[in-house]
Amino acid sequence: MNEIEQSSERVVGKADILVIGGGLHGASSAFHSARRGASVIVLEADYVARHSSGVNAGGVRTLGRPLPEIPLALMSRDMWHTLPELVGDDGGFVPSGQLKIAETQAELDECRERVALLQANGFTHEQLIDRETVLELEPALSKHVVGGIWVERDGYALPFRTTTAFRLAGQRCGVRFYEGTAVSRIEQRGTRWYAKTPRGWFAAEKLLVAAGAWSGELAQQAGEAVPVHPEGLMLMVTHRVAPFCKATLGATGRPLSFKQFDNGTVVIGGKLIGIADLAGRHGEVDFMRLVKSAQTVVDLFPHLRHLGINRAWAGVEAFTDDSLPVISASRTASNLYYSFGYCGSGFQMGPACGRLVAEMMIDGAPSLSLDAFAIDRSFACVDAGATSTSTSNAAVHH
Ligand SMILES: Cc1cc2nc3c(=O)[nH]c(=O)nc-3n(C[C@H](O)[C@H](O)[C@H](O)COP(=O)(O)OP(=O)(O)OC[C@H]3O[C@@H](n4cnc5c(N)ncnc54)[C@H](O)[C@@H]3O)c2cc1C
């Protein structure tokens, strides 16, 4: 017995795997591990899906991904199309297609280069389309558009419902979720990992840090400094309006993420940066920045000029210096794993990442290489071609 087991602070829960964080990545990794037979405990500081995973724009987008993420995103997309078989719920997934609009000839050239780059790398899921095809797909769009990129099998889903579906599927496989249970310290003693919480210590052979924007501090405790920082990403939802747009839209030259739900409301975002309060555990809206996005929407859909905004909010998301996530075994400690830093695009990847993280923890290696996401990579910004032809995050939509 080690000091923790002997101490007066009790070990209140034991499992094969401890997961810190009840977002989509924690819930998906827990579910996939439990269906492989592992006993799993998830420790969540607030409640499951409280943060990014429950409040995001729901974009299920392979379009515009950095090259290293594409195999992962394509694997995940196949899983989105068969989600009911996996977790018993479709997460509200609608295969609406995703369309990235070019508004100028220069932007269309950028789209053309992007599609050529993907094809040179063997990826054919993004299609360059001309103005007529864009307007055929979305007749309500302003006539100044000149073309774009279309991905037919992309779409959108409901974030809270999806994360809850993974949680419930996990529970059916025996995963135990502890909400209101923040981990303040992680320690490895002998062959076991321990996580300190206000309820007492939890112990397991393996530990996964999937704590979203709060993961950097936990990695630091294991001696692994990661250039990760939080951002408060904003979204707004309009009043209801008659159906006018089927696809999920983005723009090439300016920030935009745009979709109309069945109930008529329109969700507008696009990595709009608000305020992140990590200590207070919440995000805040900067309304002046939202005005700019509203202007973009009106430029593209002039008939929405008088449409009111119903509500706006911000969620706290983890960003890394090279805009790629950390999905990796620790390089300093045994049986410690990470899955965080999804840079505003991690919802789509939740189903597949959970499976690969479970493989990494249980089999020792994932079935798809995660080398690009190693925690000891350089984190230097790669050139635009290696990530996306849109050099700024702002131009990447959901
Ligand atoms: C406004 C917005 C829009 C977005 N739109 C899209 C989109 O359209 N498409 C897309 O693919 N992605 C989108 N994203 C990104 C996506 O939501 C995230 O990448 C993804 O949800 C990250 O999931 P996660 O499980 O890693 O993190 P989170 O959902 O943040 O979950 C981490 C959890 O860990 C818990 N936690 C933290 N510290 C501790 C601790 N010490 N102890 C216990 N628990 C802890 C937190 O409370 C939290 O619940 C968006 C994000 C935002 C904010």
Side-chain angles (χ1 to χ4, degrees):
M1 237 195 246
N2 62 43
E3 288 159 44
I4 293 175
E5 304 258 357
Q6 284 170 336
S7 79
S8 53
E9 296 171 283
R10 288 179 311 129
V11 174
V12 290
K14 289 184 181 178
D16 297 330
I17 297 172
L18 273 184
V19 177
I20 304 178
L24 180 57
H25 286 274
S28 176
S29 303
F31 159 67
H32 283 288
S33 301
R35 77 198 286 251
R36 301 275 313 271
S39 68
V40 185
I41 288 176
V42 178
L43 304 173
E44 166 52 49
D46 293 312
Y47 55 86
V48 171
R50 158 67 184 86
H51 292 287
S52 283
S53 297
V55 305
N56 65 58
V60 175
R61 173 182 61 78
T62 60
L63 202 171
R65 292 266 166 195
L67 276 181
E69 277 184 6
I70 293 176
L72 201 51
L74 290 174
M75 177 182 178
S76 214
R77 192 179 61 184
D78 286 345
M79 293 169 78
W80 276 103
H81 282 264
T82 53
L83 214 55
E85 289 162 35
L86 188 68
V87 293
D89 191 303
D90 66 7
F93 176 61
V94 177
S96 64
Q98 291 240 3
L99 173 59
K100 184 163 150 181
I101 298 154
E103 297 179 80
T104 64
Q105 211 49 53
E107 287 175 16
L108 190 58
D109 290 344
E110 204 180 300
C111 291
R112 190 172 291 112
E113 279 168 34
R114 160 79 182 176
V115 171
L117 173 78
L118 291 200
Q119 286 177 353
N121 282 275
F123 300 118
T124 54
H125 58 291
E126 295 191 13
Q127 270 182 288
L128 188 73
I129 56 173
D130 60 17
R131 178 172 182 274
E132 285 62 43
T133 314
V134 169
L135 292 174
E136 243 167 61
L137 285 166
E138 294 303 338
L141 263 173
S142 163
K143 305 297 174 256
H144 77 273
V145 300
V146 297
I149 299 180
W150 171 238
V151 179
E152 195 178 357
R153 293 191 79 228
D154 281 357
Y156 66 84
L158 301 176
F160 192 82
R161 179 166 154 190
T162 299
T163 306
T164 302
F166 274 90
R167 178 223 184 118
L168 294 175
Q171 283 176 323
R172 288 194 293 275
C173 298
V175 178
R176 287 166 283 165
F177 284 83
Y178 289 81
E179 297 182 309
T181 307
V183 174
S184 55
R185 214 162 82 218
I186 55 173
E187 281 181 33
Q188 191 179 32
R189 299 283 174 99
T191 58
R192 293 185 85 70
W193 276 98
Y194 292 85
K196 188 175 191 199
T197 78
R199 291 178 197 267
W201 291 88
F202 287 82
E205 188 196 340
K206 294 177 184 177
L207 178 67
L208 170 65
V209 174
W214 295 267
S215 301
E217 206 262 314
L218 293 164
Q220 190 90 47
Q221 288 186 28
E224 294 181 294
V226 182
V228 60
H229 69 278
E231 296 284 5
L233 294 187
M234 305 184 290
L235 289 175
M236 56 185 151
V237 176
T238 68
H239 295 161
R240 289 165 200 248
V241 60
F244 68 94
C245 177
K246 288 205 188 98
T248 305
L249 298 191
T252 307
R254 40 186 174 169
L256 179 69
S257 142
F258 181 97
K259 65 186 72 75
Q260 184 176 29
F261 285 104
D262 277 355
N263 66 9
T265 60
V266 178
V267 177
I268 303 166
K271 297 195 179 169
L272 309 172
I273 306 292
I275 298 146
D277 177 356
L278 210 54
R281 309 187 66 78
H282 77 284
E284 272 177 37
V285 171
D286 178 339
F287 280 95
M288 291 317 289
R289 292 190 197 157
L290 282 185
V291 170
K292 215 171 154 198
S293 310
Q295 186 57 53
T296 302
V297 172
V298 172
D299 288 351
L300 290 167
F301 293 101
H303 77 285
L304 297 184
R305 190 161 55 248
H306 301 300
L307 190 62
I309 298 300
N310 229 351
R311 61 195 173 97
W313 68 91
V316 181
E317 170 70 333
F319 283 80
T320 61
D321 282 4
D322 62 0
S323 303
L324 293 175
V326 174
I327 317 169
S328 176
S330 164
R331 299 297 190 249
T332 59
S334 57
N335 293 328
L336 174 61
Y337 304 89
Y338 300 106
S339 175
F340 66 89
Y342 285 92
C343 303
S345 308
F347 178 64
Q348 191 273 350
M349 298 204 288
C353 283
R355 176 184 290 175
L356 296 169
V357 167
E359 289 170 358
M360 181 167 66
M361 294 194 293
I362 293 169
D363 305 330
S367 53
L368 188 77
S369 171
L370 296 173
D371 291 352
F373 315 113
I375 193 161
D376 60 348
R377 66 182 188 260
S378 76
F379 287 94
C381 257
V382 277
D383 65 43
T387 54
S388 150
T389 47
S390 300
T391 47
S392 79
N393 270 337
V396 177
H397 70 286
H398 300 126

